[in-house]
Amino acid sequence: MPPISTVLAAVVVDPAALALALGAAIAYGFGLRAARRNGETWPVWRTLCFYVLGVLPYLVLTCGFTGAYGSQLRWAFTLKLALLFFVVPLLAGLGRPLGLARAALGEGGRRRLDGIMGSRPMRVLGNAFVAPVIGLVLFATFLTPLLHVYRANPVASGALSILVPLIGLLLALPIVEADDFHRSSSFILLEFVYVFIELLADAIPGIALRLNGTVLDGVTSWAAGSPSWFPSALRDQQLAGDILWFIAEIVDLPLIILMFVRFSRNDRHEARSYDELSDEEMEALAEAHLRQRGD
């Protein structure tokens, strides 16, 4: 493993990551100012979540040790990508960027935002059935020579630094900002059950990396002048598998908790809406349901 001094001192400039971080920070700041002009009070702790738990860790991962050594070490690159996909979006999502956008926009802007959030692509991304498939497809490519391309090609690495956290955020928003993604209690319950399947699906690429006895990306030796603490190529791959396996599994625990909270809130909301119906409205609703089943 690397010396602590190396971990703390390693710095690299990732232009793509810096551009995304700066753009996100400025956009959130403009949203805060617009919300104040509209008379909306935005919680300080949500602002801190976005900047301190979202933007700052993103910069540390892309421009710190994992960014500096990710082009050489599989485990450093895997640690960076796994955290950018699974963890950073969840933490940044606690800042509720969609909620801030609603507070900052006018009536016309809110309607356009509602239209985007209600579109088919967002509805597809906004459920727990898609997230494990995307994660599985992405990290399954680590079992191929593409892993070396991702690490060695600056364009590919920069593109992943932008695309991976953005996709992760799209998948995380329906959970951390459930009010903007309307789901019935029965649908959320089905998602809740499906998450347990995700526990197994997310682990497949990590397990395959860990247990395989050959170097899957084909690069079996280090470049001249590599540090003495570098592991062997196979051990590097095994460490990458351990990291991916651990992160993919541990991150599902808070997801399950958040989904349970969302189910409880949605169930209470539906119960209140039924309680507010008159006897005539309840009877009409029951008749409509029976007619639908008869058809």
Side-chain angles (χ1 to χ4, degrees):
M1 298 302 291
I4 296 298
S5 58
T6 300
V7 174
L8 296 178
V11 177
V12 67
V13 176
D14 187 332
L18 289 174
L20 178 60
L22 183 61
I26 292 174
Y28 199 88
F30 280 145
L32 291 172
R33 188 172 66 175
R36 282 196 297 269
R37 284 202 306 265
N38 293 340
E40 298 283 349
T41 302
W42 194 249
V44 175
W45 74 271
R46 290 202 179 276
T47 302
L48 291 176
C49 283
F50 185 81
Y51 284 109
V52 179
L53 300 181
V55 176
L56 182 59
Y58 173 74
L59 287 174
V60 170
L61 289 169
T62 54
C63 299
F65 174 83
T66 54
Y69 284 90
S71 61
Q72 300 166 279
L73 292 169
R74 297 168 185 83
W75 71 261
F77 184 81
T78 300
L79 177 61
K80 180 180 76 170
L81 265 291
L83 291 176
L84 289 182
F85 184 79
F86 290 111
V87 178
V88 171
L90 276 176
L91 297 177
L94 295 176
R96 295 202 65 191
L98 282 181
L100 179 60
R102 287 183 173 279
L105 294 172
E107 190 62 32
R110 291 192 190 99
R111 283 198 300 269
R112 288 191 293 273
L113 181 61
D114 289 339
I116 294 173
M117 302 314 298
S119 64
R120 178 177 290 274
M122 291 305 300
R123 289 200 306 270
V124 170
L125 289 172
N127 65 72
F129 303 101
V130 175
V133 175
I134 293 178
L136 180 61
V137 170
L138 170 64
F139 290 106
T141 61
F142 281 30
L143 306 175
T144 72
L146 281 175
L147 178 57
H148 177 65
V149 176
Y150 294 158
R151 295 185 292 116
N153 188 309
V155 175
S157 180
L160 288 174
S161 295
I162 294 177
L163 293 176
V164 168
L166 289 180
I167 294 173
L169 185 61
L170 285 176
L171 299 174
L173 285 179
I175 298 174
V176 296
E177 300 206 45
D179 294 341
D180 292 306
F181 294 81
H182 302 292
R183 296 284 187 269
S184 66
S185 293
S186 57
F187 187 87
I188 295 174
L189 184 60
L190 188 59
E191 284 186 319
F192 188 76
V193 174
Y194 191 72
V195 165
F196 289 95
I197 302 176
E198 183 182 0
L199 286 169
L200 299 176
D202 285 345
I204 292 174
I207 293 172
L209 282 172
R210 179 64 180 86
L211 299 182
N212 207 293
T214 59
V215 179
L216 297 174
D217 65 7
V219 182
T220 58
S221 60
W222 303 118
S226 297
S228 59
W229 52 264
F230 272 26
S232 67
L234 181 59
R235 181 57 182 156
D236 183 31
Q237 177 177 283
Q238 291 172 343
L239 288 171
D242 290 337
I243 289 169
L244 181 56
W245 186 358
F246 175 77
I247 293 176
E249 291 300 285
I250 201 68
V251 79
D252 282 321
L253 298 179
L255 282 178
I256 291 173
I257 294 172
L258 287 171
M259 290 186 68
F260 180 76
V261 171
R262 182 173 66 156
F263 171 77
S264 300
R265 290 177 177 174
N266 197 74
D267 188 60
R268 287 197 300 269
H269 175 74
E270 289 185 356
R272 281 198 303 269
S273 66
Y274 286 128
D275 291 340
E276 292 170 358
L277 294 176
S278 65
D279 292 340
E280 291 78 10
E281 289 172 328
M282 282 294 295
E283 184 177 349
L285 184 63
E287 290 178 357
H289 177 69
L290 290 174
R291 283 198 301 271
Q292 184 178 16
R293 292 193 63 181
D295 295 336

